[in-house]
Amino acid sequence: MSLLNAVVQGIALGGLYALFATGLSLAFGVMRFVNLAHGDLAVLAAYLILSVATALGASPWVALPIVLVVGGAVGYGAQTAVLNRTLGADPMPSILVTFGLGVVIQNALLEKYSVSQQRLDIGGLVTDSVSVGSLAVGTLPLIILATAVVLLGVLELVLRHTRFGRAFRATAEDSRTAQLMGIDDRAIYGAAMAISFGTVALAGFFVGSRTSFSPLVGPALLLFGFEAVVIGGIGSLWGTLLGGVVLGVSQTVANELAIGWDLLAGHAVFLAVLLLRPNGLLGKGAA
Amino acid sequence: MSAAALDATGLSAGYGPFQALFDLTLHAPAGSRTAIVGANGAGKSTLLRAILGQVTVTGGDIAFDGRSLRGVRPHRRAKAGIALVPEGRHVFGDMSVADNLRVGAHLGRSGRWDLDAVLGAFPLLAELLDRPAGVLSGGQKQALAIGRALMANPRVLLLDEVSLGLAPIVVRDLYASVAEIAATGTTVVVVEQDLTQALGFADHVHCLLEGRIVLSGSPDELSLDEIRDAYFGVRVA
């Protein structure tokens, strides 16, 4: 029964990984942009939510929408003003720029907030649980999972069925030909980064409410995010959810079987998928 | 939507250090049918990409409907009413045929071309609407690429090597459709390696050799021998 519990916890944890990885997946899918600062952006968002909540004397729930909107706007601005210049056949400029950005964010956070652990206080939700049969499942993990599923579902619908979504997919497949249809690829990239920054801020909120965080935890998050994207298959949003869940379940089940083996097991599963299905579980070209 | 004229004046263009067009001047009046012929590497595709702003123009200018396109980004040129059917078709293979056509209508330019009109011109697409474009045959992809360009209701339609790799009967059907499109008043410029198709379609032919126009005229004025010589760079004695 505790194994079943571990699986359920793992699925919920997978929702968090998926939420975090969505932005990575989108940015890479549409413009082959590798964002090494993605984890640090999540941590930055958590700190911003903390500061805004403190300044307003309100709950982090109130600060969340503010930081989401600001994050989206900053994402659009950063992409159109700076990051578009790093795009090209060579992925190295984007990797170097975002690596540097990550270092800058980490050090700025250290300077402002010190190394001490922080936490977003969202009240009793953190300890609440729902009984499912004989299992007690945490309310917050369930909310996170539901948020991830709804968010990915909405994104998928938008990409499938709207004018913007078609322009997005056309640009992802062949930006030069998309231009011929009158699509401004740079604006599409800006929108992709707005969604990426917005979703990573949401992920940062949940990371910060679920566990404590400090300025240097970003890179570890980034690793999980990349693993979720690769396990699920690059270019597939549902794949990213599946990848997050596979990673989460691997970690919690391994920890149940042998305490402390969770991270190693997660990496092992990631490597196994890379060996056996290099295109990921739902990726294009998967057998 | 009325047709528009396209004028290139003293155009030089290329890719990085490689220059592909040299001081090229070409006028395509509104409603005309122009064919540009020439061997591989003569600069035909570069000229079309230059008109769309997708290669670096190093000298001269291109005017659309009398206005200079200098500094205008490619998607804005499409918005002005220039459509290119690129060499190699470049359909969006992961998307359905219907979605490819809808992307063509991204700008929402109004005119006589909508989904029904395009399916009327290319009936073979009607039963393929839900298929991913990537699985279509060459001829079907070419029809889709032309249909997608028409969905934008362009004032100038540029077609790059539409006959390449297609069976003669498919080419004949495609050109029949293109002639109908031209008859609606759209300015059409085709780049073509197949001389017979080019001469049969156009009211004006330009022969391109090594990035320069070496021969121009109406199909009636030019003999096939003259064009062949220009095509291969053989000097007429």
Side-chain angles (χ1 to χ4, degrees):
Chain A
M1 193 47 76
S2 58
L3 200 61
L4 181 60
N5 186 49
V7 170
V8 173
Q9 303 298 338
I11 293 172
L13 180 61
L16 180 61
Y17 289 157
L19 202 51
F20 172 77
T22 299
L24 277 179
S25 181
L26 268 184
F28 188 82
V30 73
M31 53 190 162
R32 307 288 173 269
F33 185 86
V34 179
N35 186 356
L36 293 186
H38 201 68
D40 302 302
L41 288 168
V43 178
L44 174 64
Y47 276 105
L48 287 178
I49 291 167
L50 183 70
S51 286
V52 171
T54 310
L56 295 176
S59 153
W61 285 106
V62 178
L64 173 64
I66 300 171
V67 172
L68 278 188
V69 171
V70 172
V74 169
Y76 186 89
Q79 185 66 40
T80 47
V82 182
L83 300 177
N84 272 338
R85 294 165 201 267
T86 69
L87 297 179
D90 182 4
M92 199 46 103
S94 70
I95 291 176
L96 290 176
V97 165
T98 56
F99 180 78
L101 179 64
V103 173
V104 169
I105 292 174
Q106 288 170 24
N107 286 283
L109 290 176
L110 279 174
E111 195 62 35
K112 173 100 172 65
Y113 296 98
S114 84
V115 287
S116 54
Q117 305 261 326
Q118 297 285 354
R119 193 162 186 144
L120 295 176
D121 179 11
I122 56 166
L125 258 185
V126 182
T127 47
D128 285 352
S129 62
V130 190
S131 297
V132 184
S134 58
L135 288 177
V137 185
T139 311
L140 182 62
L142 282 182
I143 291 176
I144 297 174
L145 180 62
T147 307
V149 172
V150 169
L151 183 86
L152 287 166
V154 168
L155 272 177
E156 188 73 30
L157 280 176
V158 167
L159 289 183
R160 290 280 140 232
H161 299 294
T162 65
R163 175 176 178 270
F164 167 76
R166 284 188 291 272
F168 195 98
R169 283 185 288 144
T171 304
E173 192 175 331
D174 184 347
S175 60
R176 201 165 135 88
T177 303
Q179 289 176 349
L180 301 177
M181 314 293 132
I183 296 166
D184 182 358
D185 50 341
R186 294 190 215 169
I188 295 284
Y189 299 150
M193 203 45 92
I195 298 171
S196 182
F197 274 39
T199 52
V200 85
L202 189 58
F205 170 77
F206 284 129
V207 168
S209 355
R210 199 176 147 274
T211 54
S212 55
F213 57 94
S214 60
L216 300 180
V217 299
L221 273 177
L222 179 72
L223 185 56
F224 296 148
F226 271 126
E227 289 183 345
V229 172
V230 172
I231 291 173
I234 285 163
S236 162
L237 285 178
W238 290 124
T240 300
L241 180 64
L242 180 65
V245 167
V246 166
L247 185 64
V249 170
S250 312
Q251 292 181 350
T252 52
V253 167
N255 202 45
E256 185 64 33
L257 298 175
I259 287 177
W261 285 72
D262 49 349
L263 298 186
L264 187 59
H267 298 326
V269 167
F270 161 71
L271 288 175
V273 170
L274 208 52
L275 272 176
L276 301 174
R277 292 177 76 101
N279 291 315
L281 299 176
L282 298 185
K284 256 203 300 177
Chain B
M1 189 58 73
S2 63
L6 201 57
D7 299 288
T9 318
L11 190 69
S12 296
Y15 308 87
F18 175 73
Q19 190 172 354
L21 297 178
F22 299 85
D23 193 23
L24 182 146
T25 295
L26 181 148
H27 298 289
S32 64
R33 306 166 173 203
T34 303
I36 298 164
V37 300
N40 266 335
K44 308 184 299 293
S45 295
T46 308
L47 173 60
L48 297 192
R49 291 288 184 179
I51 293 169
L52 263 303
Q54 291 189 324
V55 296
T56 313
V57 170
T58 49
D61 195 16
I62 300 164
F64 173 72
D65 203 12
R67 277 167 310 171
S68 169
L69 291 175
R70 189 173 292 143
V72 179
R73 290 178 51 204
H75 73 278
R76 294 261 170 214
R77 300 186 189 206
K79 196 169 185 180
I82 307 175
L84 168 66
V85 178
E87 183 184 0
R89 295 116 199 182
H90 288 276
V91 296
F92 300 110
D94 293 342
M95 299 170 68
S96 69
V97 168
D99 275 354
N100 267 271
L101 293 173
R102 290 189 190 110
V103 167
H106 178 80
L107 292 165
R109 292 170 52 88
S110 58
R112 67 184 295 272
W113 294 104
D114 55 16
L115 194 59
D116 287 340
V118 166
L119 295 181
F122 300 102
L124 77 165
L125 294 177
E127 52 207 69
L128 301 169
L129 284 175
D130 295 327
R131 297 269 195 93
V135 306
L136 303 187
S137 72
Q140 292 166 340
K141 280 183 185 165
Q142 190 64 69
L144 175 58
I146 298 173
R148 183 181 62 180
L150 290 176
M151 290 293 284
N153 282 297
R155 302 175 68 194
V156 172
L157 179 64
L158 312 174
L159 298 133
D160 197 353
E161 304 276 17
V162 287
S163 65
L164 208 64
L166 299 183
I169 182 152
V170 178
V171 175
R172 210 180 316 145
D173 288 350
L174 281 174
Y175 265 94
S177 303
V178 173
E180 284 172 32
I181 293 158
T184 65
T186 308
T187 310
V188 178
V189 178
V190 300
V191 153
E192 186 54 77
Q193 294 202 26
D194 182 335
L195 283 184
T196 327
Q197 288 301 341
L199 295 178
F201 168 78
D203 52 33
H204 215 79
V205 180
H206 301 276
C207 198
L208 217 57
L209 178 70
E210 291 172 358
R212 294 174 173 88
I213 289 183
V214 288
L215 185 71
S216 292
S218 74
D220 311 334
E221 296 164 2
L222 303 172
S223 77
L224 210 52
D225 284 341
E226 263 184 305
I227 299 177
R228 280 212 188 96
D229 290 348
Y231 195 106
F232 293 112
V234 181
R235 292 275 165 263
V236 185

